[in-house]
Amino acid sequence: MQDEKTIRANKVYADLCKMLDERDWKYTKDEEKLNVSGVIHGEDIPIEFIMIVEKDLELVQFLSFLPFEVPEDKRAEMAIAVCAANYGFANGSFDFNVMGSGKIIFRLTTSYRGDTTLSPDLFEYMLVVAAMSTDKYNDKFFLLSKGNITLQQFLSDIAN
């Protein structure tokens, strides 16, 4: 017999998949791990994502791993750039593993704890906000990491 957390997580996962199916999203399911993954095509760099239903934490998490690592000599500048990009976000944030891998992830999370019900519109909102946020900054982060733009150019560009 399944416990309450498992039952709720399975329902949230089924609702997420139903929303994706109804809106004709192309994605891959991992029913055992309660996640879906896919690619969103923005203006430049494709946005690979995974949405995970975290049973124990009772939340849904959207993650998009940017497809490059920031070289060590660019990490101090990138840390400033990531902070500047995150400033003012109402939902979601970029996480930068400055001391380890040099990877950047966009993360957006919502909880379904207690009596909370997540609607199809909320799942769609998560996807759209995450895609727009990632698409707005992924190319700028990449250019900064390669030295093709300066930190000052990055900051000036996002201020406009």
Side-chain angles (χ1 to χ4, degrees):
M1 187 168 157
Q2 293 182 330
D3 63 45
E4 182 65 29
K5 278 190 174 184
T6 300
I7 293 167
R8 285 186 43 86
N10 287 334
K11 170 145 181 21
V12 169
Y13 180 73
D15 290 346
L16 171 61
C17 292
K18 181 180 177 188
M19 182 281 297
L20 292 168
D21 291 338
E22 288 174 350
R23 288 162 172 80
D24 292 324
W25 280 76
K26 305 291 183 240
Y27 67 99
T28 303
K29 290 182 184 183
D30 186 333
E31 293 180 355
E32 185 177 313
K33 294 181 180 176
L34 299 180
N35 69 48
V36 298
S37 59
V39 178
I40 300 167
H41 298 282
E43 291 184 14
D44 39 60
I45 301 171
I47 302 162
E48 294 185 23
F49 73 90
I50 186 168
M51 289 185 79
I52 305 164
V53 177
E54 295 277 0
K55 176 185 81 165
D56 294 330
L57 299 174
E58 298 180 274
L59 55 85
V60 177
Q61 193 169 47
F62 175 103
L63 301 172
S64 179
F65 298 83
L66 275 58
F68 58 90
E69 294 179 6
V70 179
E72 286 189 32
D73 66 328
K74 298 289 184 189
R75 291 185 185 175
E77 288 181 343
M78 187 62 73
I80 295 168
V82 168
C83 287
N86 282 337
Y87 185 78
F89 275 160
N91 288 303
S93 64
F94 288 101
D95 297 336
F96 178 38
N97 188 342
V98 68
M99 300 303 290
S101 67
K103 296 288 281 179
I104 301 172
I105 302 167
F106 185 83
R107 178 173 41 98
L108 178 63
T109 304
T110 193
S111 174
Y112 61 87
R113 178 172 246 155
D115 293 334
T116 304
T117 301
L118 304 182
S119 71
D121 289 341
L122 177 64
F123 293 131
E124 184 175 41
Y125 171 83
M126 289 178 73
L127 280 163
V128 169
V129 166
M132 288 174 52
S133 300
T134 303
D135 195 42
K136 180 176 179 178
Y137 292 101
N138 60 7
D139 59 326
K140 294 171 184 58
F141 287 147
F142 178 74
L143 293 171
L144 182 61
S145 76
K146 295 299 180 194
N148 294 340
I149 62 171
T150 66
L151 175 61
Q152 200 56 42
Q153 287 171 313
F154 177 94
L155 296 173
S156 177
D157 188 39
I158 68 169
N160 297 327

